[in-house]
Amino acid sequence: MEVSSVLSDLCTNHKEGHVGDLFWYRGNKRIVSIYPKQQLDISGWISVIPGRTHLPLQIKGTKSELITTEKSFYILVEANYNTCQYNFLSNVLELETFGVPVAWHVGDRISILLRTDDVSLSHLSVSFLQNNLTLENGIEIMRIQSVDVIGSPYKIYNISSVPQTYAPLDPRLSRNERKDFFMSRWRAHVSMLSTFCEAIDQVKDTLQDISVRHPGSGVGAVKLVPSNYINEVEDIPEYTPSTNDVLEKNNSVPSSVSIMESPSQSSGQLSSLTSTEMSTAQGSTRLAADSATTSLSSLRSLPVTPRRTISTDVGFDRIKPPNIIIFSDSASAADSVKVALESTLLKDRYTIHVLNFAGMLSTPWLHQACLVVIHGNVPPTFTSVITDYLLQTSGSLLVLCSDFLGSILPMFHTAEVRPNELVQCSYKSWKHVPLMHHVFCYQPTPTAPQFSHDEHSSLRAIPESVEIKDRQGQLHKLKIDILGAEETWQTPSLLLVSLVNSTSKIVFSQVHLEVAPCQYECDDKKRQALEKSDKARLEILCDVLGSHLGLQCSIKQPHITYTSAYFLGKHEAKQELLDKLKKEGTLDSNIVMKAGTLNLKFCGKGVTPPTPSANLLPVLQHSCPHSFSTVDYFENLNTKSVGRLEMDVGIKWPNDIYVNKRTKLGGVLVSSVLSNDTVICNIGCGLNLYNKDPTVCVNDLIDSINKETGSKIPELTYEIYFANVFNKLEELYKMAQAGNIDDVKSMYYSFWLHSDAEVEVKLAEHNVKKVKIKGIDSYGFLRVETPDGNELTLQPDGNTFDMLSNLIISKAMFY
């Protein structure tokens, strides 16, 4: 297993950690020693409520008197909430049996800090060896790791305001309805926990208290305060379990846990993608955030609006940029892979997605990917999904430091632990290149009882070809080539596996082609060696992607040139805005406004603008860009206070702009910031105006129309485009302010691509429900109608609509 998956990336020193001894190894479970001891900062965490609680999971109360304070220490338990299942019957680990739950955090996983002692941990270890256990409802344990703790968690001040997401389900519902409601409610519960943690991350550095109102919860805001804010929290209402409660723990046993476990061999059920209003202790709750919600409200019909049918189908076949999908059991490792790909692939050619296990089980994404990158360990059930991808789509795989090697090539089941080892590798003309090796060195199963240093002994066991079966039992032949070898042990570091009679290929790498030298800042020797070989590392990765996997790559990427921005508008209006920003404290004394990592420096007359960079944007107040005609801009600008070509342009829910109903032309992205009682919405609209790659642009369409029809339509310039955007934006703003929302929706539907379209909604356990799209509701959520006449609602933040495959899938599948 790769080090980053053995160590939790939540620990502040996880990059310094390495595996010491491998004590036990079986299947996807390992017990190892880690050096140095990992340090966990819980400043952004939330204290576990004493006694019985449902945050973050059901805890019946602790037996703190059994844990001796003098000999106690902390362990970190991490679990994958995407594996939650309805009516899961198996042995369940009750954390409170092994220690005192202290604090929790929810991001891309559920993390719980437990105070325990030697006796309890030994019981854990024995149970780990003897049982196959999960947390409640099949929630799979990813890892358990001892940690030193720094920082103090936040506390929930007003516990009664927390929505009770574990209330019993209505027993009158059918089994399928109960299952759908159960999964919907679980997604809402995770969404609520994640919302709390995200809010704390915004204020933890300044130790401010913060109030969070989960959207539509029907209860007051939940106040989160630093640990030293109060001495006592309010009385805790204990939750009384019901026999109808489908979230109760099943078959609990006194001892069971995995100290370090890859995703389990279970199917990893997909969470429900449609959900209902939650039944809570306070009443019916409509949840937003990233959970998909469904409203069983009465059917509402769309307004009848004409649809323009002007054709601009000029033969463009680049619908969207090709997809590259990264799957990793570690979010930080996935980020490293993404950075490496972005350093080698041609710019603006590919769209890179990072998916978790549930996302990888969503076949529409796999069938639209030109490359899938696998990093780290994968569940055994993933093998059949990837096999189908290779056999049915002629796709390609890049597998980096993963036990998936043994899933395709069974002879690679023998592994030697080699933590943090720097090795010399050779590939084509690149010789003796220092690279970091995978923590497990997989070798062909040796005939001798011990590993051999003899090259021929190690490589002789690799056959020229193997055969694999698809789900229908048909055999397919795979050809094996050794691309590169590691020189110390003479083991294959790069393998090419080609599907005979197909273009599908797999490249397996046992060295870290994605790891940058900066990840070894605490080890000068390794860092210096990797810095010298970093150019060769990227060149090897570039050649592997280009020569063997057919992607467009180049190490020589165009240099990014940063330029100043220009503040256009009437002098009085510009000065009024700057004065207002100064008064609010948004502009500092140097006339600098901070926007995340970017600083905007406003430069007036007589001020020499600083050099623009990725983190500094000079904004010139009294200058005009040479490449932008302010005359054309203001001549076309008809607005009072806000800064025509007919094409078959449509809107794909929730935020994409399409031309000819199939090719993406642009998109809209809205982000919001909550500051005290003020909500600031930032609307970004990107349109391909001049850029030909990666799909098509407006002016290419104009050129094609002119050639086909003999027209002389002028190209759309930046000036005219921006002027018309602001004209229409102000028109829409005034309509909304005047309460004419129906007129705004009518205009929206005139470009809508989905009216009465029949699609399929993917639910938990791979269940699919056919629905008909009816429109959007007042929140902008997608309204769909089931065959039995019920109406469901899907949120744009919780779902993504794949128009080409007619599927609506959960965004929870992405990291």
Side-chain angles (χ1 to χ4, degrees), residues 773-792:
I773 295 178
K774 303 306 295 181
I776 58 173
D777 66 6
S778 58
Y779 295 95
F781 303 157
L782 188 67
R783 295 168 43 231
V784 298
E785 183 183 13
T786 62
D788 55 7
N790 286 327
E791 185 174 302
L792 312 179

Side-chain angles (χ1 to χ4, degrees), residues 181-196:
F181 278 37
F182 166 87
M183 294 307 301
S184 303
R185 203 165 61 175
W186 171 248
R187 293 303 316 161
H189 178 70
V190 172
S191 169
M192 178 184 70
L193 302 182
S194 179
T195 301
F196 292 166

Side-chain angles (χ1 to χ4, degrees), residues 463-479:
E464 293 183 357
S465 64
V466 296
E467 289 185 329
I468 60 172
K469 286 184 179 181
D470 58 24
R471 296 194 188 192
Q472 290 71 40
Q474 293 183 334
L475 290 173
H476 301 267
K477 189 176 182 179
L478 300 176
K479 182 177 177 293

Side-chain angles (χ1 to χ4, degrees), residues 54-96:
H54 68 291
L55 303 177
L57 301 172
Q58 291 189 89
I59 298 174
K60 295 180 179 178
T62 61
K63 301 176 181 179
S64 57
E65 68 277 5
L66 300 180
I67 306 299
T68 57
T69 306
E70 297 77 16
K71 298 182 179 179
S72 67
F73 51 91
Y74 293 98
I75 57 175
L76 169 65
V77 181
E78 294 176 280
N80 181 3
Y81 54 67
N82 289 312
T83 58
C84 180
Q85 301 176 46
Y86 171 76
N87 201 24
F88 183 83
L89 299 176
S90 181
N91 291 336
V92 174
L93 165 68
E94 292 183 348
L95 290 176
E96 59 270 30

Side-chain angles (χ1 to χ4, degrees), residues 66 73 98 116-124:
L66 300 180
F73 51 91
F98 300 97
T116 187
D117 57 19
D118 290 333
V119 175
S120 297
L121 184 59
S122 65
H123 290 164
L124 261 174

Side-chain angles (χ1 to χ4, degrees), residues 529-779:
L530 292 174
E531 285 176 345
K532 292 179 181 179
S533 65
D534 197 47
K535 182 173 180 292
R537 172 183 68 90
L538 292 175
E539 289 173 345
I540 292 173
L541 177 60
C542 184
D543 189 83
V544 166
L545 293 171
S547 300
H548 302 296
L549 300 177
L551 276 69
Q552 301 179 53
C553 306
S554 176
I555 293 296
K556 298 179 180 179
Q557 299 288 355
H559 178 68
I560 298 176
T561 302
Y562 296 97
T563 59
S564 299
Y566 296 86
F567 194 5
L568 302 181
K570 294 181 179 179
H571 173 75
E572 296 81 3
K574 292 191 292 185
Q575 193 59 48
E576 181 182 352
L577 175 60
L578 292 177
D579 291 342
K580 182 178 179 181
L581 293 176
K582 289 179 185 177
K583 184 178 180 180
E584 294 176 348
T586 306
L587 283 180
D588 62 19
S589 57
N590 295 317
I591 320 298
V592 173
M593 181 172 68
K594 294 185 179 296
T597 59
L598 180 65
N599 290 330
L600 281 72
K601 166 65 176 176
F602 289 86
C603 305
K605 290 182 178 180
V607 176
T608 302
T611 303
S613 68
N615 303 110
L616 178 61
L617 177 63
V619 182
L620 309 185
Q621 297 175 228
H622 304 291
S623 301
C624 297
H626 299 295
S627 59
F628 188 90
S629 172
T630 54
V631 175
D632 290 344
Y633 173 71
F634 285 110
E635 282 183 352
N636 285 275
L637 185 67
N638 300 320
T639 63
K640 299 298 182 181
S641 58
V642 182
R644 148 178 333 120
L645 172 69
E646 297 288 339
M647 289 184 181
D648 185 15
V649 176
I651 297 173
K652 191 207 81 167
W653 179 85
N655 59 351
D656 285 338
I657 302 170
Y658 271 61
V659 66
N660 306 328
K661 301 181 180 66
R662 63 187 182 90
T663 303
K664 185 173 179 179
L665 193 63
V668 177
L669 184 65
V670 180
S671 62
S672 59
V673 178
L674 179 63
S675 176
N676 296 324
D677 58 349
T678 302
V679 178
I680 302 172
C681 293
N682 300 308
I683 305 173
C685 178
L687 188 75
N688 296 341
L689 194 61
Y690 282 98
N691 50 308
K692 300 176 183 292
D693 291 315
T695 56
V696 68
C697 65
V698 170
N699 285 317
D700 274 355
L701 292 168
I702 293 175
D703 184 60
S704 297
I705 293 173
N706 286 339
K707 290 178 180 178
E708 278 200 358
T709 64
S711 306
K712 295 183 179 180
I713 304 172
E715 70 175 17
L716 185 61
T717 64
Y718 293 116
E719 297 86 346
I720 296 177
Y721 166 73
F722 284 122
N724 281 279
V725 166
F726 294 139
N727 291 339
K728 183 59 67 176
L729 186 62
E730 184 177 72
E731 177 186 338
L732 293 170
Y733 173 76
K734 288 181 177 179
M735 290 169 63
Q737 289 295 94
N740 301 323
I741 300 299
D742 288 341
D743 292 339
V744 176
K745 291 179 70 174
S746 178
M747 186 180 301
Y748 177 86
Y749 284 131
S750 69
F751 295 94
W752 175 254
L753 295 177
H754 311 304
S755 293
D756 292 326
E758 292 187 355
V759 298
E760 295 176 327
V761 178
K762 186 166 245 184
L763 305 173
E765 301 177 357
H766 307 290
N767 291 333
V768 174
K769 179 179 289 187
K770 291 186 177 180
V771 297
K772 181 181 289 186
I773 295 178
K774 303 306 295 181
I776 58 173
D777 66 6
S778 58
Y779 295 95

